[in-house]
C-alpha cells in the first residue's frame, strides 16, 4: 500500500479463482465497463468517498465467472492525515535495545 501525491491510496490487489481453464481476469472500477487485466495482480487507486472494484475470472471458452465486489469508503479527513510509509519510518524514534 502506498500514498500517491494527489492524496489517494494505492492498494495492490491479487485475484484468486477456482474457475477451471482460466484465461484471464477482468475488473470493473466504480461500476464502469469490464476490462481485461494483464495478470492476477493490479494496483487500485482509492480516493475520498466510495470506491468499488469488481473482479471476475474468464475461462478459455470466453465464459466469465460470477463477479466478486469490494467497496471501500474513505472520508476526506482520512486521506488528509495520510503520510507515505517511508515518512512514517523516518519519523519514528530510533532507540537501541
Amino acid at each position: 500500500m502506498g500514498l500517491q501525491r494527489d492524496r489517494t491510496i494505492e492498494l495492490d490487489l491479487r485475484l484468486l479463482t477456482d474457475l477451471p481453464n482460466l484465461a484471464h481476469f477482468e475488473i470493473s472500477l466504480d461500476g464502469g465497463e469490464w476490462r481485461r487485466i494483464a495478470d492476477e495482480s493490479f494496483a487500485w487507486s482509492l480516493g475520498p468517498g466510495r470506491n468499488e472494484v469488481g473482479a471476475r475470472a474468464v475461462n478459455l471458452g470466453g465464459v466469465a465467472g460470477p463477479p466478486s465486489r469490494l467497496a471501500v469508503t474513505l472520508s476526506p479527513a482520512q486521506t488528509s492525515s495520510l503520510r507515505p510509509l517511508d515518512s512514517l519510518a523516518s519519523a519514528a524514534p530510533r532507540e537501541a535495545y
Side-chain angles (χ1 to χ4, degrees):
M1 180 173 86
L3 178 65
Q4 299 176 337
R5 288 187 186 93
D6 61 353
R7 290 297 200 209
T8 60
I9 295 173
E10 186 174 277
L11 295 178
D12 294 321
L13 297 181
R14 182 169 178 237
L15 305 175
L16 304 171
T17 185
D18 291 329
L19 183 76
N21 303 311
L22 176 67
H24 62 272
F25 285 102
E26 295 177 339
I27 61 169
S28 169
L29 300 175
D30 298 318
E33 296 291 319
W34 289 99
R35 64 181 175 92
R36 183 179 181 159
I37 58 173
D39 57 28
E40 75 276 356
S41 298
F42 69 99
W44 182 27
S45 296
L46 307 174
R50 182 179 167 88
N51 300 266
E52 184 178 308
V53 63
R56 65 185 183 188
V58 179
N59 71 14
L60 293 172
V63 178
S68 296
R69 300 197 181 281
L70 174 65
V72 176
T73 302
L74 296 176
S75 71
Q78 288 172 310
T79 57
S80 66
S81 64
L82 294 173
R83 293 187 290 171
L85 293 177
D86 54 352
S87 71
L88 292 175
S90 63
R94 297 181 185 198
E95 297 180 25
Y97 291 94

